[in-house]
Amino acid sequence: MPETANPARPVDLLIVGAGFGGLYMLLKARRQGLAAQVIEAAGSVGGTWYHNRYPGARVDIESMEYSFGFDEALQQDWHWTERYAAQPELLRYANHVADRFGLRDGIRLNTRLAGAHFDASAQRWQAWSETGERWSARFLVLAAGPLSTPNRPDFPGLADFRGRVLHTADWPHEAVDFSGQRVGVIGTGSSAVQAIPLIAEQAAQLTVFQRTATYAVPAHNGPLDPDFEARIKADYAGFRARNRQMMGGFGSLLPPNRISALAVSPEQRDAMFEQRWRIGGFGVLGTFSDLIVNPAANELAGEFVRRKIRATVHDPATAEALCPRHPIGCKRLCVDTGYYATYNRPNVRLVDLAAAPIEGFTPAGLVAGGEEHRFDSLVLATGFDAMTGTVLRLDLRGRGGERIQDHWKAGPLNCLGMAIAGFPNLFNLVGPGSTSAFTNVIVAIEHQVDWIAGCIADLDAQGLATIEATPQAEADYVAHVNTVAARTIYLNCNSWYLGANIAGKPRMFMPLFGFPAYVEKCAEVARQGYTGFVLG
């Protein structure tokens, strides 16, 4: 830890990140009478929705569900304008929460955590920022989120390109005008699927460089129906409770059908897929009960979407290149507005990097498959170093000075998706081992924050100072996460769930599938006096 003249400010909780997780953790801590400090590297609260402001950025879970449920007045008073809220509205919501609950005086913006070391003699975390502020904290809560560090691939010669380079996860705050420009987009994941249709409307020429074809289902977005809003608000608490019983913590209005895709005729199957397609959103994956666990059933769903792509995209070669071959849902499913139809525009071209890989960059563009593609602006829609990227960039050291980089050398070991053996009194929100990747993340945040707050209250009631996961409990939990994944199709492709999008990253399935079972597992650990943990 660097020497500094600044004294360390004592706090009960040091919370890193002022997204939805950090905001709720701060509020919960204050309501328990704990002194808490949030530090945030950005210039505003909002987390993901502060940084991700690319064209078309919006949530892919319906707004009435992607929102806090801990306060009845908040959810009754707030009005969403669209079925799927766009980034500006989501950022306004985050700011509204900060103001409504008087949280701003507990948040230091433009303050990036540089490191934190656990002091065993004091039983506290000694932490410091890049600008020299220091804190001495009983508990350290990492609330940076699972998707907070942009993935910037080391493309050969990218520095030679003289045009503008943008990243969807770090978009400028000023408006970006692509009018009259030749634009290149690398990547076709969720961010690209949202951005490409809008960029195509502006650009003179858009070239999309596709590494892996993606499945996208229609959002059918539009203004929020006032009657629907009124029905939900008439029993918002019940709606939330029913959602928490769903595998993903959302979607109780369109629950999965309890029938196998293999148990109906082809005509019935297509009719059921078509019904869900017309509704749109993630509910398509709930058309049948076995799409995530049965490869044969999954292939039927994948082929249904491929037929939709072929029927939408006029050019047969382009349509075929856009057809994914991996299991649907194995990579994160995209929810789109006009993505496939965009390739019918005369100013849009698809380059399949599987057939024509990127060879390097030039001052005017890039070379792929022996052809130079020239453009004025390049958009990197290359996603994130998910779940571990932010944590592994910290000087984070636990008991005995163990570095997090060493502890996670073979993958992100954890217990209950929150605790790390050898790192006492540290909690990691919605990171590896959590259900965040497969769950309405705000529901996942509320559950974990409530559990952490309850854990701290239990420690305080017993006069205990520390809680630390055991290495055996950590190993058992990671094995459990992988056992659950092995029952699904999630291991059947290379995805960011496995860390496969980052060169050199250990291959380890990171998220847990199944929210209700996870909630019960966490509750059982607490009921049994925190089995798998050492309390000191």
Side-chain angles (χ1 to χ4, degrees):
M1 187 167 61
E3 293 293 331
T4 175
N6 296 329
R9 177 188 166 192
V11 293
D12 292 312
L13 275 79
L14 181 64
I15 303 163
V16 184
F20 289 128
L23 292 176
Y24 186 47
M25 189 75 252
L26 174 60
L27 175 61
K28 194 76 175 180
R30 285 182 163 183
R31 287 181 171 178
Q32 288 187 196
L34 300 172
Q37 175 69 63
V38 173
I39 58 173
E40 167 59 57
S44 172
V45 303
T48 291
W49 302 113
Y50 177 80
H51 296 287
N52 289 259
R53 50 183 73 215
Y54 56 84
R58 68 178 64 249
V59 71
D60 53 10
I61 291 172
E62 295 195 34
S63 309
M64 295 292 290
E65 297 172 271
Y66 189 86
S67 52
F68 282 121
F70 68 83
D71 186 274
E72 178 66 11
L74 169 64
Q75 61 186 9
Q76 290 292 335
D77 294 345
W78 183 264
H79 167 68
W80 295 104
T81 63
E82 293 183 279
R83 181 184 179 190
Y84 295 94
Q87 178 271 333
E89 189 168 20
L90 290 159
L91 186 58
R92 286 197 298 274
Y93 179 70
N95 277 277
H96 173 77
V97 169
D99 291 332
R100 185 184 188 103
F101 298 102
L103 301 177
R104 292 196 186 274
D105 62 345
I107 303 169
R108 287 186 61 86
L109 300 174
N110 301 303
T111 304
R112 183 181 297 276
L113 181 70
H117 296 175
F118 184 71
D119 181 347
S121 61
Q123 296 181 321
R124 301 180 75 88
W125 283 94
Q126 307 300 335
W128 67 98
S129 73
E130 291 184 346
T131 48
E133 299 98 330
R134 294 175 58 211
W135 300 270
S136 176
R138 292 173 58 206
F139 297 92
L140 179 63
V141 179
L142 303 179
L147 301 175
S148 55
T149 297
N151 172 31
R152 301 181 186 275
D154 186 20
F155 290 117
L158 178 57
D160 295 334
F161 175 59
R162 293 177 183 168
R164 189 175 191 182
V165 179
L166 302 162
H167 197 292
T168 49
D170 190 19
W171 203 258
H173 288 210
E174 69 275 8
V176 177
D177 186 0
F178 293 113
S179 298
Q181 290 193 20
R182 298 164 300 174
V183 181
V185 174
I186 298 178
T188 52
S190 295
S191 300
V193 162
Q194 292 182 333
I196 283 169
L198 295 181
I199 295 174
E201 292 177 1
Q202 279 193 348
Q205 175 66 42
L206 173 62
T207 305
V208 178
F209 298 90
Q210 174 185 271
R211 298 179 297 174
T212 305
T214 192
Y215 289 102
V217 298
H220 299 311
N221 190 39
L224 188 65
D225 178 11
D227 291 337
F228 172 74
E229 180 183 19
R231 289 198 305 274
I232 295 299
K233 288 187 174 182
D235 181 28
Y236 225 144
F239 180 58
R240 301 285 193 189
R242 291 186 292 274
N243 276 342
R244 287 172 70 92
Q245 296 306 308
M246 304 296 293
M247 290 295 282
F250 70 100
S252 62
L253 293 179
L254 189 65
N257 289 312
R258 297 180 179 274
I259 186 171
S260 167
L262 307 177
V264 297
S265 69
E267 294 76 18
Q268 289 174 300
R269 188 164 52 239
D270 281 353
M272 293 174 72
F273 276 134
E274 189 64 43
Q275 180 186 35
R276 294 275 176 142
W277 189 266
R278 288 197 298 268
I279 296 170
F282 287 127
V284 171
L285 285 178
T287 308
F288 297 99
S289 62
D290 52 354
L291 298 186
I292 296 301
V293 297
N294 186 325
N298 184 280
E299 173 59 21
L300 296 171
E303 184 54 31
F304 175 82
V305 178
R306 288 191 286 271
R307 289 201 304 270
K308 287 290 187 182
I309 296 170
R310 295 181 186 116
T312 301
V313 181
H314 300 160
D315 178 64
T318 301
E320 211 55 39
L322 287 167
C323 285
R325 299 300 172 185
H326 55 273
I328 185 171
C330 187
K331 295 173 180 283
R332 185 170 177 87
L333 187 65
C334 299
V335 180
D336 83 299
T337 300
Y339 172 67
Y340 294 122
T342 297
Y343 292 94
N344 294 329
R345 297 177 63 100
N347 66 325
V348 177
R349 178 185 176 186
L350 178 70
V351 175
D352 184 1
L353 296 180
I358 294 175
E359 299 165 27
F361 283 78
T362 68
L366 65 80
V367 177
E371 179 184 355
E372 183 180 21
H373 302 269
R374 294 171 172 258
F375 32 80
D376 306 296
S377 295
L378 174 66
V379 175
L380 300 178
T382 48
F384 300 87
D385 186 351
M387 294 198 149
T388 62
T390 303
V391 176
L392 289 174
R393 284 162 173 76
L394 297 173
D395 180 4
L396 185 64
R397 305 189 192 191
R399 192 179 295 279
E402 183 183 21
R403 300 167 65 249
I404 189 63
Q405 292 82 0
D406 296 326
H407 193 74
W408 280 4
K409 186 175 182 180
L413 302 173
N414 68 89
C415 183
L416 292 186
M418 289 183 274
I420 304 170
F423 291 76
N425 290 13
L426 181 145
F427 297 105
N428 190 24
L429 276 181
V430 293
S434 75
T435 62
S436 60
F438 303 125
T439 304
N440 176 350
V441 74
I442 296 188
V443 171
I445 285 168
E446 286 186 317
H447 165 253
Q448 285 197 331
V449 167
D450 288 347
W451 191 92
I452 292 166
C455 175
I456 295 173
D458 288 343
L459 292 176
D460 288 348
Q462 298 175 62
L464 297 170
T466 61
I467 182 168
E468 179 180 352
T470 68
Q472 186 60 55
E474 185 178 64
D476 291 346
Y477 185 75
V478 170
H480 168 69
V481 170
N482 283 271
T483 296
V484 172
R487 302 185 188 123
T488 71
I489 49 83
Y490 290 124
L491 299 181
N492 295 348
C493 67
N494 290 321
S495 69
W496 62 257
Y497 303 147
L498 283 159
N501 63 321
I502 305 294
K505 189 169 182 173
R507 296 295 183 266
M508 175 176 162
F509 196 78
M510 295 181 285
L512 177 66
F513 178 67
F515 180 70
Y518 172 69
V519 170
E520 177 52 34
K521 190 174 187 71
C522 293
E524 181 184 11
V525 167
R527 281 196 304 268
Q528 295 180 353
Y530 299 95
T531 52
F533 291 83
V534 175
L535 282 62

